[in-house]
Structure formats: C-alpha cells, structure tokens
Amino acid sequence: MRFAAFLILLIIHLSLFAQTYTGKVKDKNGEPLPGASVVVSTEGKSTIAYCITSDKGEYKLAIPEEKNPASVTVSYMGYQKKAMPFSDLKDGMTITLTEGSFKLKEVKVKAERIQSTGDTLTYSVSGFKQGQDRSIADVIAKMPGLEVKADGKIEYQGKPINKFYIEGLDLMGSQYGVANQNISADKVQSVQVLENHQSVKSLRGVSFSEQAALNLVLKDDAKAVWTGTADIGLGYGDDFLYDCRLMGMRFNKKFQALMMYKNNDIGKQLDNEVLDLTALLKGRTGSESGILSLMSVGAPDLAEDRYTFNHSHLVAGNWLWKTGKDSELRLQGNGFMDKTDMQNYRSSTYLTLADLPVIIEEQDVCNTRSEWKGEVNYQYNGVKSFIKNNLKGYMDFNKSVGRMMYNGQRTDMMVKPHKRSIAEDFQMSHTTAKGNIYNLDSYWTYNYLPGQLLTINGMTEQLNLGFFSTRNDFLYKLKIGRHYLNNEFGINYDHQSIGVAMGEEAERTNAYQLLRTYWTPSISFVFGKHKLDIKSMISHAHQSYRESKSNHLWLDPSLNWNWKATVVSEFSANVGYTNAPLTGKAIYDTPIFTSYHTQKVNRGETDATHSLHATVAYKYSNPVLGLFFNVRPMYNRTSGNILYESTMNGNIYTMAATDKEYAIQTAGMAGRISKTFGWAKTLIGFSASHNITDYSLLVSGIVNDARMSTTAVALDYSLRPAKILSIEGKSNVNIYKQKNQTSPELSSSNTTDWKHFLNLHIFPANGWMVSIKNELFHTSDESIGTNHFLDFAVSYKTKRWELSLTANNLIGTSEFERRTLGNTIESYSITRLRPREFLAKWSVDLF
C-alpha cells in the first residue's frame, strides 16, 4: 500500500512539473493545417515553448511551471499570423487562421543542409553529395547521425531504422537494400529522418518507438514518370569479367514500382540487397536457420570484392498500389543465384581441450546458391483503425561441394542445407472515440529443412527438420487521462520435429513442443516530456521432448523510460528480466553432425535460460550545429547455459552436453559522435565500443572461468577541400583479449588489428573523375606483416551516361593472412585473393 501511494504521488508530482496544452489549428473551412508553428513567449519575447502541428493539425505545448508565458503566436505560410494573450489559451482549444497575402522583402536565400521541423530532420542531398557519389546510400553515409552498414542496413543515432519510405510510401518493406543501393542520388531531393516513428496512425501518441524512419523525397523530374538505368561492364583478370544491371522505376502517389536484374563476377555479392533489414516485431521468430549451413571460409577483414570469387545474379520486383486513401497493396518477389569458389588454409587451436590440439584444414570448395522469396502485403492504416495481412514464402536449392586436406588426410565434402518456409502475419487495432485501444496479432510460420551432409568418415547424414510456430495475442489499452492501463493476453505454440539418419540406417525422429500462455498487465505514463512503461508478463510454459516434460510459471518484468530533456537531448533506459525456453535444436539428444567433422549431442531435457538486461542511452541531435552524439552503456547476464564437454574422437570433434551450467555476463558501452562542417562539406565521425564477457569452459571435466574483452575504435571522414579534389576515408582498430582465469596457460595470445581506407577523387575537368582507392591492413602479429591494396579508375560522366575504366588490385597480394580469436577457438588462416583485374563500364539513363 505504501508503494502504491508513493507511486500515485510521484505521478501527480511529475504531471504538475509542466502544464500541457493541446488543441488544433484549422482554416476557416475547418480543414487542419499541418506544419503550422505555435510559439509561446514571455513579455521579453523569449521563447519558452514551441511546436509544429501534426498531419492532423494538432499542437501540444508543455509550459514549464517556473516560466511566465505572456503571448501565443500561430503562423502558417499563406495565412495571416495570429497573436493572442496566453491567458486566452485553453486546453483543447481550436485556433483558426485566415488566408492572407503579404509582400516579401528582397532577400538572399541560403539553403540549410539540415532542417528540423518537429520530429522530422530534413537532409539536403545536394548539401552532402560529392562528385564520386552514385547511389543514395553513398550520400546517406555522409550525413551526420546516420550510418550505412556493410550489409546495407541504415542506422540513426546507433539504432536501425524501422521504415524506409519513398515519397511517403513503404514500397520496399524490410528489403530496402535494393532501393538504398540502386536509386541514383541525382534523383533524390532530400532525405527525411522521422524520429521516434510510429507507423500505425491510430497508435501515434499512444505506443512509442525509439527507432526512426527514413523517407526519400524525390526531385520533381523523378516523380510520376518511368525512369530506367542500364549498366554494361566487361573486363578481364584471370578470366572473363562482367558487371551489368538493368533497372526500371516509377514513383507517384497511387503507384510505385522498382524492378531490377543485376549480375557480376567481380566479387560484389548481391544477396545483401534483398536481406530483411528492419527489425521484426515482438513474438515473430523470423527466419529459421536449421542445423546445417553452407561451407565457408573465415572472411578476411577486407572489402569483400578482394577475396570473393563469385558468379552472382539477382532479379527483384517490387510493386505497390494505393487501393484507397488509407489502404495499399504491396507485392514483392526476388531470386538470387550464385556460384562462389573458395580456397582457404586454416589452423585451428581448440581452447576447450587441455592439450590445445591443432587442426589443419586446406579446402577447395564451390558453393552454389539458388534462393527465391515472395511477399504479399495488404494494409489499411486509418486514423482510428489499422489492419495488416502479410504472407511470405521462401525456398532454396543450395549446396556446397569440394575437397579437403584434413591434417594431411584427403576427404570429399558435400552439404545441402535446403529450406522451404511460409509465414502469415495478421495485425489489427482500433482506437475508440474515448482513446481506448483494441489490438489483435496473429502470426504463424512453418519451416521445412531437409538436409544432407557428407561426414569425414565417408558416411552421409540425412536430416529432416520441420518447425511450426504460432504467436497470438490480444491487447486492450484503457485510457485514464493522459495515461494508459494495458492488459495483454496471448498464447504461443511451437512444434519442432527433428529426424536424422546416418548412411543406410532408418531415420530417427523426435518431436519438441512448447505451449506458453501469458498475461501481461502494464501501465503507460506520459507526464511532461517523460514517458514510462511498466509491465510484467506472467506466463505458464509447458515443454515436452520424448520423456522429458516440464511446467514453469514465470514472471518477466520490464521497465522502459524516455525523457526528452531538451529540444536536442534525449535520455532513455530499459531494464528487464526474461525467461527463454530452450528450443528443440538445443535439446535433441541424437548425435548430429553440424559440419563435416563436428558432432553435437544435447541433454535431451527441457530447460530454459534466464536473462537480466539493462541499457541506458543518451542522444544529442543538434541539426543547427550539424552535431550528433549517442552513447549506450549496457549489461546482460544470462544463466542456465549448458556446458559442453569437448573431445577429439579420431578426426571427429565432439561436443556433448553435461549436467553442468554456467552464467555468461557481458558489460559494455558503445557510442558515436559525428559532426558536419559547412567548409568543404566535411563530415567527421568517431565510433568506439568496449565489451567484457565473462563465461566458462569445460576442460577435462573441470570448469574454467574465462574472460573475453573486445575493443573497437573507428574514425571516418569525408571532405572536398578543393573543387578538383574529394577525400574520404576510414581507420579502425580492433583489440581482442582472451584469458583463461582458472588455467592461465590455456589462454590465447592477444591480437590487435588495424584497417585503413583512403580514397582520393580528382576532378581535372568538367565531367571527368580520377579515383585512387587504398586499403591497408596490419596486425600486432609480426609474422603476418602488412597488406596494402590499390585500385585506380577514370570516368567521364554526362547528364545521361557515364563511361568508366577500372583497374583493381594494381598493388596487392595473392594471399591474406590473419589470426582470429574467439571464445573457444583461436585460428590462423590464409585466404586466396583476387588477381589484378581490368573492367570497362558504360552506364546510361534509358528514359
């Protein structure tokens, strides 16, 4: 009772911290005026509160208690400014503006590179684009606060975006890499960042998001017309080279389309353009990976086109129709076909075995991939109601074949990790006139994963995995003043069958099942600039696998807090405790080869892991100064992890689950600061992270405590100090330290890697560009040495077409050496690199 009384007093106190006024701005016809500015000032004309009206013309003003407001001014382009005493402003008041004409004085207009309007930041593409930039992703990477990751994912202030819009429409869904990496920067007017974006209109102001969305605003000549691009690239290295693309696009208010065919064998993989890059919603299991995978070599810490020997083809189609004012239909389909050859030497030291045995592998492998995906999405997104139905399908015909020298023994290799899947996702919500909300989610997916693996003993393992999963919940939000009391009820069910046969033996099939029902009461507070969500999921979980059955009653509490401290500063925090049942892949007790020489056996008993997690974040976003900063300390502790006993049985590395468990604990911090300067379009970014992980190893039956620490620091920059010169580069250092604290003699040596990129682009005359690209890698291991690579290119560009000549790996080596440190394995590898290559490419706008 004391706690409840204290909580009520706290809410009342915080609600009084700032007085809030809400209402609408309309014209004389009653139409809302979105984007109108509402300013509250003191007698001395100092601004104490400011906001921009929403797309429904709504305003919200928070007046600090200690301030003395005197007047309210409302203005909107094309309308007469309205000023009135603050004492006339009432909560819920509608302010009406009258159309009016006025004369503008003669002024000089200087375009701002970044503009802020409410929760929207608008980056001018021309303000950041440099002469060498081709795709819109090239320009976004130069915008402060934004990052483009190697897989094409875009992050704003350290968090992935949750939507990628083109002219306000969600054509790409989660697979926005095609648009991001292929839409020409010349066709985009500006890039908008929609902070704390809630895509469901009926939930805006109710359900909050810490993620941002991104919207491309196109130039007028790229709207409502078909545009197309064709690239033809031909060349020679050790073999014939090609790099081609054919693309067509159309974007208007009622229909959007983007279709593309692309191929190359110059080392640039295309599959990342159709990856699912946005985060899945709660309860969605996403793509099931299975147990087997294609063979791979340890990727060198270099650009992928240095070491990838590919023959890749990608076909992608995306179509969206506006079927009504608030409804739309989206169709997507893509296919990826690839053949990649790999040669690699690897020496692996197993830190889980007392005598630290070394396994030497020399492999020559060919991976063949054929992957096909399709998606149909219908959505109604009204002011009061939301309905979405999404149907996805996937199938592949992937395989790896090759030969291996394993500790001097020659062995054939083959793996076929096939997969077929289908998923249905239905969501519906409705907001009543009183502000109460009903929300229904239903999601199910089925994955069938047949696989074959040729093991080192010459026998073929056959796997048949069938995974069915469904998530269903109903949520009711009751509005109490400006706060919400929530109740969520749900039921989740998983059925996983795992069948395995070795050689000619009969298949052994076992099934795992999980039924979890839950109730999640929660309360959401909004007081001033603070948002607080307190919830706790109370669940009952029933697990079964063969004779092992268990029932659990769990409590998963969590707390989320957000505080918009100032216009440019924002704090947030999250703390919670989670119980996660082990899945069938972590339970099966039938010995299964997971690779040609690694075999794994689990306990065959149902169980769960338990995690305590906490994250604090601070964001500073000042578009006027072009300064963006974020920092995120975090802590996570997961108990219930199973310790595995590792042994070498001949050439087979076996991992067998024991009855021992351990806790893994990670503490760390990550942050980034980026600043843009008007001079030379300069951008400087600095990123850093440090993580310490404490875990346990089982060595000869004895539990050993170990610690792994990783530190990463990166500096990136771009500038154009002169009309004829553009510079962009990045330098980063990664430090890895592993120590067995129980048996220090079993610790691994520390490693430090440095990597540097420096690209120089020279513009000697109008339309001409000369590019010199440098890549340098060196390490603390003196036996490995330094690797330097240099590429050279010259191009001539007109408004309609561009011709370029490229020479790659003019300076470089044919092999790359690297030492890699992991929690349980230290490895030394040599990877074959691409030779010197020459390519001529012609790109043309078709229409």
Side-chain angles (χ1 to χ4, degrees):
M1 290 297 293
R2 290 181 179 179
F3 175 76
F6 171 76
L7 185 60
I8 293 171
L9 289 173
L10 176 63
I11 294 170
I12 294 173
H13 171 73
L14 291 173
S15 297
L16 293 175
F17 181 76
Q19 191 171 5
T20 302
Y21 293 83
T22 60
K24 294 184 178 182
V25 177
K26 297 183 177 181
D27 63 15
K28 63 181 182 180
N29 298 320
E31 293 296 322
L33 297 178
S37 63
V38 185
V39 182
V40 178
S41 308
T42 64
E43 289 186 359
K45 303 303 180 182
S46 297
T47 300
I48 59 176
Y50 170 80
C51 75
I52 299 294
T53 57
S54 69
D55 56 359
K56 293 183 284 188
E58 297 173 340
Y59 65 84
K60 183 178 180 181
L61 297 165
I63 313 299
E65 162 177 71
E66 70 277 5
K67 301 295 183 179
N68 295 311
S71 63
V72 180
T73 303
V74 184
S75 57
Y76 188 76
M77 182 66 73
Y79 288 76
Q80 295 179 7
K81 182 184 295 185
K82 184 169 185 176
M84 62 183 184
F86 180 78
S87 58
D88 291 348
L89 183 67
K90 307 299 181 184
D91 189 28
M93 182 177 179
T94 296
I95 302 173
T96 303
L97 299 185
T98 304
E99 292 185 48
S101 59
F102 53 91
K103 292 182 179 180
L104 288 175
K105 295 180 179 179
E106 184 178 347
V107 295
K108 290 183 179 180
V109 179
K110 181 180 179 182
E112 295 291 340
R113 296 206 294 163
I114 311 176
Q115 296 182 356
S116 175
T117 305
D119 286 338
T120 301
L121 296 181
T122 301
Y123 294 79
S124 167
V125 171
S126 62
F128 292 93
K129 182 178 179 295
Q130 297 192 18
Q132 70 273 15
D133 296 330
R134 295 296 180 261
S135 72
I136 188 59
D138 296 334
V139 185
I140 293 174
K142 294 179 173 64
M143 295 175 173
L146 290 164
E147 289 183 90
V148 180
K149 298 298 185 179
D151 61 0
K153 181 183 295 181
I154 299 175
E155 292 186 357
Y156 173 70
Q157 288 286 58
K159 286 196 171 185
I161 62 172
N162 58 14
K163 289 288 183 180
F164 185 97
Y165 297 113
I166 303 174
E167 285 293 314
L169 296 180
D170 186 16
L171 169 66
M172 307 308 301
S174 63
Q175 301 175 35
Y176 62 79
V178 172
N180 187 33
Q181 300 180 49
N182 290 283
I183 292 180
S184 170
D186 294 333
K187 300 185 183 298
V188 183
Q189 180 72 32
S190 60
V191 175
Q192 294 179 330
V193 173
L194 315 176
E195 296 183 299
N196 305 313
H197 179 65
Q198 170 56 262
S199 61
V200 180
K201 294 178 184 178
S202 60
L203 297 181
R204 289 174 183 170
V206 177
S207 181
F208 307 104
S209 171
E210 293 185 9
Q211 293 177 283
L214 187 143
N215 180 45
L216 301 186
V217 179
L218 303 178
K219 293 181 178 179
D220 290 340
D221 59 3
K223 300 178 184 178
V225 295
W226 280 101
T227 60
T229 303
D231 300 342
I232 301 174
L234 302 173
Y236 193 80
D238 281 351
D239 204 348
F240 174 73
L241 301 176
Y242 56 88
D243 181 17
C244 305
R245 178 181 60 163
L246 180 63
M247 182 171 66
M249 300 175 291
R250 184 181 176 93
F251 306 103
N252 60 29
K253 295 181 180 180
K254 297 294 184 181
F255 172 72
Q256 291 190 353
L258 191 158
M259 297 168 288
M260 185 182 71
Y261 168 71
K262 200 173 188 180
N263 65 25
N264 81 77
D265 66 347
I266 61 173
K268 294 181 179 179
Q269 288 283 13
L270 305 177
D271 57 329
N272 61 357
E273 297 189 16
V274 290
L275 292 177
D276 289 323
L277 297 176
T278 56
L280 292 169
L281 297 175
K282 65 181 181 67
R284 275 58 171 168
T285 55
S287 178
E288 182 59 63
S289 60
I291 295 175
L292 302 179
S293 60
L294 289 171
M295 287 178 275
S296 64
V297 299
D301 201 4
L302 300 172
E304 65 176 13
D305 54 0
R306 300 282 183 206
Y307 59 86
T308 304
F309 293 82
N310 68 309
H311 295 271
S312 300
H313 301 263
L314 174 68
V315 57
N318 305 267
W319 302 270
L320 183 145
W321 294 267
K322 288 289 291 182
T323 55
K325 179 183 175 182
D326 297 311
S327 59
E328 62 188 37
L329 175 67
R330 183 179 73 232
L331 301 179
Q332 292 179 281
N334 60 72
F336 174 69
M337 295 145 286
D338 176 72
K339 181 180 178 182
T340 298
D341 297 315
M342 299 178 294
Q343 290 182 5
N344 176 259
Y345 168 91
R346 181 177 179 180
S347 171
S348 301
T349 303
Y350 288 82
L351 307 178
T352 52
L353 301 177
D355 53 351
L356 297 178
V358 178
I359 301 298
I360 296 176
E361 302 163 287
E362 296 180 65
Q363 57 180 329
D364 189 345
V365 175
C366 177
N367 283 348
T368 303
R369 297 169 62 185
S370 178
E371 302 172 354
W372 301 86
K373 293 193 288 186
E375 179 177 342
V376 181
N377 185 88
Y378 172 79
Q379 178 176 291
Y380 174 82
N381 194 3
V383 175
K384 293 296 183 181
S385 300
F386 174 79
I387 299 174
K388 186 185 86 167
N389 193 75
N390 184 278
L391 179 64
K392 285 185 178 182
Y394 171 91
M395 65 188 305
D396 67 39
F397 305 91
N398 297 339
K399 68 176 180 179
S400 295
V401 294
R403 291 192 174 184
M404 164 79 71
M405 292 294 291
Y406 180 87
N407 282 347
Q409 174 184 328
R410 188 182 185 90
T411 181
D412 292 328
M413 306 177 72
M414 182 276 295
V415 61
K416 295 180 180 179
H418 292 172
K419 176 181 174 181
R420 316 284 184 265
S421 71
I422 187 169
E424 165 75 16
D425 187 358
F426 176 79
Q427 299 174 62
M428 179 174 64
S429 69
H430 177 71
T431 303
T432 68
K434 294 182 179 180
N436 301 328
I437 295 172
Y438 299 88
N439 190 84
L440 175 66
D441 286 353
S442 181
Y443 173 83
W444 65 264
T445 180
Y446 178 72
N447 293 269
Y448 174 56
L449 300 108
Q452 295 183 35
L453 174 68
L454 182 61
T455 66
I456 196 170
N457 57 18
M459 300 183 70
T460 300
E461 178 183 74
Q462 303 274 352
L463 284 180
N464 280 298
L465 313 180
F467 296 162
F468 173 79
S469 177
T470 182
R471 305 284 185 265
N472 305 274
D473 61 67
F474 173 76
L475 171 67
Y476 173 60
K477 286 178 174 282
L478 175 64
K479 189 175 184 181
I480 306 174
R482 298 176 58 228
H483 312 301
Y484 282 87
L485 182 64
N486 316 310
N487 280 283
E488 183 178 3
F489 303 89
I491 180 168
N492 300 340
Y493 176 72
D494 292 282
H495 183 280
Q496 302 181 356
S497 62
I498 300 177
V500 57
M502 184 66 70
E504 299 298 325
E505 69 178 21
E507 181 178 294
R508 293 161 290 166
T509 302
N510 298 298
Y512 164 82
Q513 294 185 81
L514 166 67
L515 178 64
R516 189 172 188 177
T517 55
Y518 59 90
W519 169 47
T520 308
S522 63
I523 188 166
S524 303
F525 301 112
V526 178
F527 37 86
K529 297 181 180 180
H530 296 263
K531 301 169 186 174
L532 182 67
D533 289 323
I534 303 173
K535 67 179 180 179
S536 181
M537 183 171 76
I538 304 167
S539 66
H540 175 267
H542 173 74
Q543 294 174 275
S544 65
Y545 175 79
R546 297 173 61 177
E547 291 79 22
S548 178
K549 294 178 174 59
S550 61
N551 291 279
H552 307 276
L553 185 63
W554 285 323
L555 182 67
D556 292 15
S558 68
L559 182 147
N560 291 276
W561 168 73
N562 181 274
W563 175 35
K564 186 74 173 177
T566 67
V567 176
V568 296
S569 297
E570 183 176 334
F571 294 87
S572 62
N574 170 269
V575 61
Y577 187 82
T578 304
N579 298 277
L582 295 182
T583 65
K585 290 192 299 180
I587 292 176
Y588 68 85
D589 56 356
T590 301
I592 295 180
F593 278 89
T594 59
S595 73
Y596 78 103
H597 75 102
T598 301
Q599 191 177 53
K600 190 174 183 180
V601 184
N602 292 298
R603 288 178 179 172
E605 299 176 359
T606 58
D607 210 334
T609 60
H610 317 279
S611 299
L612 172 66
H613 57 271
T615 304
V616 179
Y618 171 71
K619 289 194 312 183
Y620 178 87
S621 308
N622 192 325
V624 176
L625 298 177
L627 177 63
F628 293 78
F629 171 72
N630 71 82
V631 62
R632 285 181 170 80
M634 58 78 65
Y635 172 80
N636 187 84
R637 184 182 187 276
T638 302
S639 61
N641 301 288
I642 298 172
L643 275 169
Y644 287 82
E645 182 83 52
S646 300
T647 57
M648 290 296 297
N649 301 312
N651 289 329
I652 299 175
Y653 178 68
T654 301
M655 300 172 60
T658 67
D659 58 357
K660 298 182 175 64
E661 295 182 350
Y662 72 102
I664 183 169
Q665 178 175 276
T666 300
M669 180 180 294
R672 176 174 170 82
I673 183 170
S674 55
K675 175 74 170 71
T676 183
F677 301 88
W679 178 81
K681 295 186 178 180
T682 301
L683 171 71
I684 298 177
F686 179 80
S687 306
S689 65
H690 179 68
N691 291 286
I692 297 175
T693 301
D694 293 317
Y695 60 103
S696 297
L697 300 170
L698 196 59
V699 183
S700 299
I702 300 173
V703 178
N704 284 217
D705 294 326
R707 167 171 287 186
M708 182 79 177
S709 65
T710 59
T711 304
V713 178
L715 173 69
D716 56 276
Y717 51 90
S718 65
L719 66 158
R720 190 168 183 175
K723 186 177 180 180
I724 65 168
L725 177 64
S726 178
I727 303 170
E728 55 187 357
K730 183 175 183 179
S731 295
N732 59 274
V733 57
N734 294 282
I735 303 170
Y736 307 92
K737 297 180 179 179
Q738 190 271 355
K739 183 177 181 181
N740 187 317
Q741 302 186 88
T742 303
S743 305
E745 68 278 7
L746 300 181
S747 300
S748 181
S749 57
N750 301 332
T751 63
T752 303
D753 297 336
W754 288 269
K755 185 168 62 171
H756 312 277
F757 295 93
L758 178 60
N759 301 334
L760 305 176
H761 305 279
I762 303 167
F763 307 91
N766 188 33
W768 289 92
M769 180 175 70
V770 177
S771 299
I772 303 171
K773 299 182 179 181
N774 296 272
E775 184 174 358
L776 180 70
F777 179 89
H778 55 106
T779 178
S780 58
D781 190 336
E782 297 180 357
S783 65
I784 292 178
T786 300
N787 293 270
H788 175 227
F789 304 90
L790 183 143
D791 304 331
F792 177 85
V794 59
S795 66
Y796 179 74
K797 188 175 186 295
T798 70
K799 187 176 181 179
R800 287 288 307 277
W801 57 268
E802 179 178 11
L803 179 64
S804 63
L805 299 173
T806 304
N808 291 329
N809 303 314
L810 282 179
I811 297 177
T813 60
S814 60
E815 294 181 337
F816 179 80
E817 301 175 78
R818 190 188 181 193
R819 193 173 303 279
T820 305
L821 182 59
N823 286 354
T824 60
I825 296 177
E826 178 186 9
S827 64
Y828 166 77
S829 62
I830 300 176
T831 304
R832 179 169 69 105
L833 302 180
R834 295 184 70 95
R836 187 174 294 123
E837 297 174 333
F838 302 90
L839 186 79
K841 191 172 184 178
W842 184 53
S843 302
V844 60
D845 289 338
L846 297 176
F847 42 81

